[in-house]
Amino acid sequence: MQNFDRKKKLFVISGSSGVGKGTVIEGFLKRNPNFSLSISYTTRAKREGEVDGVNYFFVSKEEFLMGVKNDEFLEWAEFSGNYYGTKKEFVQKSLAKNKNLILEIDTQGALQVKEKMSESVLIFIAPPSLQDLEFRLRNRKTETEEAIAKRLDFVKMEIQNSQRFDYRIVNDKVEYAIEELERIIKTEEAYER
Ligand code: 5GP
């Protein structure tokens, strides 16, 4: 039986690029429209087709660092010279409205969330194997050897961090990965942590 008084849990999903994390989350959201993705703040440049306030809140470095100074972030991290972070207010407002929220952030950020909100559920989407990921990255033919090596090092760090996650989904078939994500979320919603 559903308990309507139960506090909403925060689901945090991480997984390095190249593992198809975006496709899995997109598939889940299509089938579960009562869930929404948290909108992060970033200092990186807007890519073509991205909309401010939809994909990210695009802010200047000064604005971002002011938020850090004022302790406005639940978590934040830096990649390749850009900052990314989740504002506390955004999450608190969503949970207060009893909304189901998913955070799609990196593993460093996910572990910060877990420290502050121990009831949050961390899910890692892993590549079937490092060799498979390397093959996929090479196959894209968009990056130099050096960039690929750097990315693989980052993935290794993420896999190391993921040992502290609650769940791991191996994405060898997208359809199965989406089903597994659904199963995990439904089960977690039914129990208190
Ligand atoms: P992209 O620049 O491709 O949109 O995102 C790069 C990385 O930043 C992805 O791994 C994504 O999960 C991560 N990311 C996006 N938003 C946040 C955030 O608010 N906090 C953290 N820690 N990572 C984020």
Side-chain angles (χ1 to χ4, degrees):
M1 203 173 67
Q2 200 168 359
N3 180 348
F4 290 101
D5 292 333
R6 186 162 291 149
K7 232 179 96 204
K8 288 282 172 202
K9 278 182 194 167
L10 193 59
F11 293 94
V12 184
I13 304 179
S14 301
S16 303
S17 64
V19 301
K21 166 190 58 173
T23 320
V24 175
I25 296 176
E26 211 175 287
F28 174 84
L29 292 174
K30 262 198 198 136
R31 284 157 56 155
N32 298 274
N34 53 328
F35 276 81
S36 56
L37 262 188
S38 159
I39 306 169
S40 297
Y41 285 71
T42 186
T43 62
R44 84 146 159 75
K46 209 192 280 175
R47 291 186 193 134
E48 210 184 308
E50 286 185 332
V51 179
D52 187 33
V54 176
N55 305 90
Y56 281 105
F57 293 108
F58 294 94
V59 294
S60 67
K61 268 195 178 153
E62 292 70 32
E63 206 177 321
F64 193 98
L65 291 173
M66 187 57 80
V68 172
K69 200 173 151 208
N70 294 335
D71 198 23
E72 290 170 12
F73 287 100
L74 175 62
E75 62 74 35
W76 65 276
E78 186 187 356
F79 311 96
S80 47
N82 295 310
Y83 297 116
Y84 295 82
T86 311
K87 282 250 172 120
K88 284 180 188 167
E89 198 190 3
F90 187 95
V91 171
Q92 278 160 356
K93 274 193 179 157
S94 297
L95 295 180
K97 282 191 214 148
N98 229 15
K99 273 192 180 170
N100 294 301
L101 195 63
I102 291 181
L103 259 56
E104 184 198 333
I105 61 178
D106 86 306
T107 57
Q108 306 166 71
L111 293 174
Q112 291 175 47
V113 174
K114 188 76 172 178
E115 247 168 53
K116 292 185 188 155
M117 302 172 73
S118 61
E119 72 283 10
S120 58
V121 182
L122 307 194
I123 305 163
F124 185 73
I125 301 185
S129 68
L130 267 183
Q131 287 94 320
D132 177 88
L133 183 68
E134 197 170 345
F135 178 76
R136 281 201 237 180
L137 288 175
R138 288 234 153 80
N139 232 15
R140 283 182 180 174
K141 295 193 170 69
T142 50
E143 276 161 278
T144 60
E145 271 305 307
E146 198 193 336
I148 291 175
K150 222 169 156 191
R151 244 179 210 274
L152 287 173
D153 274 349
F154 188 73
V155 174
K156 282 179 199 156
M157 187 270 285
E158 297 249 281
I159 291 174
Q160 184 78 23
N161 282 345
S162 77
Q163 286 172 1
R164 290 160 63 198
F165 275 45
D166 300 299
Y167 297 93
R168 175 187 295 219
I169 296 173
V170 176
N171 184 22
D172 44 13
K173 203 153 191 282
V174 173
E175 199 51 33
Y176 293 158
I178 296 171
E179 279 172 15
E180 208 175 329
L181 182 59
E182 264 183 337
R183 247 194 322 271
I184 291 169
I185 292 184
K186 294 230 162 92
T187 307
E188 279 291 342
E189 280 190 311
Y191 296 100
E192 297 270 10
R193 252 187 195 270

